[in-house]
């Protein structure tokens, strides 16, 4: 007898009683493994199974939600089966929650980079992470072709839910922009990671809408000189992405742009090779400029390391 589909929220419905029994969640220190023995109906269309916005190609997706207490980080995501693209609702949802002790480095690393006062208090953070994204970078020396891991986040103090975008980023040889500054474009056209079209740079899956990870491949630019990364951070309504508010990676194999947060809506990135517009929505858009550095890009890694923990 067919159970039919039920919409599952916090309450455990009869449908969830049968379906959830086949879901196993294992919380690891740096990942979450979700094993789900799906029904025959779901198995015929695996591309419509999601953990947050992640497809079931890997079983180490980042969590969509994050809570924070004095001693714990609480990550929450939702395993869903969505037969039809958004905005159609999911026919099945299962909450995945993992709780961890807060890493000690987070206490000193999460110092405000910029504070924006307005409708609700927004505190912006930006910094460099180490190779495995487990803590701050210990050096500002990067060898050509290696990766620069950039993390940005916004803390929301009494504010509606927001999503953070890196709208524009450029590398320059000066801490303050001037007509004489050498400029290397990284992100342009309102969220298009143009550097990824020629290298291996890309946005990584989010663990929360209020943060973003950029894995930037060190480029041939001003080698052996101090390099600063200038970024414009923008917060926006997470339910209303558009051509002007987005994060887009370039897929070299498919030779097209893909939307980080919802690949089924990658048409919003089709403007990346032209000029992107975007509708405005009053009372939501807030932006802040941040400078990160200095970095030194070298052809080898034999130089003595210099400590770097955050923005300029």
């Amino acid at each position: 007898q067919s159970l039919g589909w039920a919409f599952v929220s916090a309450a455990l419905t009869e449908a969830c009683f049968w379906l959830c029994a086949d879901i196993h969640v294992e919380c690891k220190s740096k990942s979450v493994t979700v094993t789900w023995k799906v029904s025959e109906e779901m198995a015929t269309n695996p591309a419509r199974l999601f953990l947050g916005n992640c497809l079931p190609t890997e079983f180490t997706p980042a969590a969509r939600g994050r809570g924070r207490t004095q001693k714990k980080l609480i990550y929450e995501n939702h395993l869903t089966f969505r037969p039809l693209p958004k905005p159609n609702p999911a026919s099945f949802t299962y909450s995945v929650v993992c709780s961890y002790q807060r890493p000690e480095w987070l206490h000193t690393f999460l110092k405000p980079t910029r504070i924006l006062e307005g409708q609700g208090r927004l505190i912006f953070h930006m910094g460099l992470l180490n190779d495995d994204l487990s803590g701050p970078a210990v050096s500002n020396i990067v060898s050509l072709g290696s990766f620069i891991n950039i993390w940005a986040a916004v803390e929301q103090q009494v504010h509606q839910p927001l999503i953070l975008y890196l709208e524009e980023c450029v590398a320059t040889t000066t801490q303050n922009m001037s007509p004489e500054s050498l400029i290397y474009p990284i992100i342009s056209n309102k969220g298009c990671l143009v550097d990824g079209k020629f290298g291996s740079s890309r946005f990584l899956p989010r663990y929360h809408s209020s943060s973003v990870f950029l894995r930037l491949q060190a480029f041939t630019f001003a080698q052996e000189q101090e390099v600063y990364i200038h970024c414009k951070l923008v917060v926006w309504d997470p339910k209303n992405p558009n051509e002007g508010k987005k994060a887009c990676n370039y897929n070299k194999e498919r030779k097209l742009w893909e939307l980080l947060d919802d690949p089924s809506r990658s048409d919003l990135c089709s403007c990346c090779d032209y000029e992107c517009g975007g509708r405005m929505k009053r009372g939501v858009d807030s932006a802040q400029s941040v400078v990160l550095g200095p970095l030194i890009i070298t052809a080898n890694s034999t130089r003595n390391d210099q400590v770097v923990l955050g923005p300029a």
Side-chain angles (χ1 to χ4, degrees):
Q1 180 181 356
S2 174
L3 291 175
W5 294 110
F7 294 97
V8 180
S9 56
L12 187 64
T13 65
E14 182 180 359
C16 188
F17 177 81
W18 294 105
L19 294 170
C20 299
D22 292 324
I23 298 174
H24 175 71
V25 179
E26 182 181 1
C27 300
K28 302 178 181 179
S29 61
K30 297 180 182 179
S31 65
V32 177
T33 300
V34 179
T35 305
W36 186 9
K37 184 179 178 181
V38 299
S39 67
E40 184 176 347
E41 179 181 355
M42 293 181 182
T44 60
N45 196 6
R48 303 312 306 167
L49 295 168
F50 299 92
L51 180 62
N53 290 320
C54 299
L55 296 170
T57 52
E58 297 182 0
F59 290 91
T60 53
R64 179 181 175 183
R66 182 187 67 174
R68 188 167 64 206
T69 66
Q70 282 284 59
K71 297 183 179 180
K72 291 183 180 294
L73 286 173
I74 302 171
Y75 294 86
E76 182 176 1
N77 211 334
H78 294 94
L79 187 66
T80 61
F81 177 61
R82 192 179 298 275
L84 300 174
K86 292 181 179 179
N88 295 285
S91 62
F92 172 74
T93 301
Y94 179 80
S95 182
V96 177
V97 180
C98 291
S99 177
Y100 300 92
Q101 294 294 324
R102 294 186 67 181
E104 290 299 321
W105 66 266
L106 205 57
H107 296 275
T108 56
F109 193 54
L110 287 182
K111 294 180 179 179
T113 299
R114 296 288 186 273
I115 298 177
L116 185 65
E117 301 285 357
Q119 184 182 2
R121 190 167 182 259
L122 300 178
I123 302 176
F124 291 86
H125 303 281
M126 194 169 181
L128 300 176
L129 298 184
N130 57 19
D131 290 341
D132 63 1
L133 309 180
S134 62
V138 297
S139 171
N140 66 344
I141 309 294
V142 291
S143 56
L144 186 64
S146 63
F147 287 95
I148 304 166
N149 295 309
I150 298 174
W151 168 81
V154 61
E155 285 192 50
Q156 302 171 212
Q157 317 283 318
V158 190
H159 205 292
Q160 69 186 80
L162 297 172
I163 189 168
L164 178 69
Y165 293 114
L166 297 180
E167 185 172 274
E168 309 284 342
C169 286
V170 298
T172 73
T173 53
T174 56
Q175 184 172 347
N176 298 311
M177 296 281 284
S178 69
E180 293 76 29
S181 301
L182 293 175
I183 294 178
Y184 179 89
I186 299 171
I187 299 172
S188 63
N189 215 351
K190 301 180 179 179
C192 303
L193 182 52
V194 292
D195 185 69
K197 194 169 184 179
F198 309 102
S200 299
S201 301
R202 64 187 296 103
F203 291 112
L204 299 182
R206 297 181 191 264
Y207 69 83
H208 193 270
S209 64
S210 62
S211 68
V212 64
F213 288 96
L214 171 61
R215 191 166 174 81
L216 180 65
Q217 189 172 32
F219 34 78
T220 306
F221 173 76
Q223 287 188 38
E224 306 297 334
Q225 299 182 50
E226 289 189 345
V227 174
Y228 295 85
I229 297 176
H230 298 249
C231 288
K232 180 181 179 183
L233 280 60
V234 176
V235 292
W236 187 245
D237 180 356
K239 297 180 180 179
N240 187 38
N242 56 64
E243 287 188 356
K245 298 292 183 293
K246 62 190 185 304
C248 299
N249 283 319
Y250 187 74
N251 186 321
K252 290 184 177 179
E253 293 183 2
R254 300 179 63 190
K255 296 182 179 180
L256 50 76
W257 292 93
E258 294 180 338
L259 189 66
L260 170 67
D261 300 301
D262 187 354
S264 70
R265 302 190 63 186
S266 293
D267 58 302
L268 296 179
C269 299
S270 59
C271 63
C272 283
D273 290 322
Y274 307 100
E275 182 176 357
C276 296
R279 295 179 290 111
M280 298 299 294
K281 186 176 181 180
R282 295 184 61 186
V284 177
D285 189 15
S286 298
Q288 187 69 41
S289 296
V290 178
V291 182
L292 195 63
L295 300 171
I296 298 177
I297 300 174
T298 178
N300 57 65
S301 56
T302 59
R303 295 181 48 169
N304 293 327
D305 285 349
Q306 301 178 24
V307 174
V308 58
L309 292 179

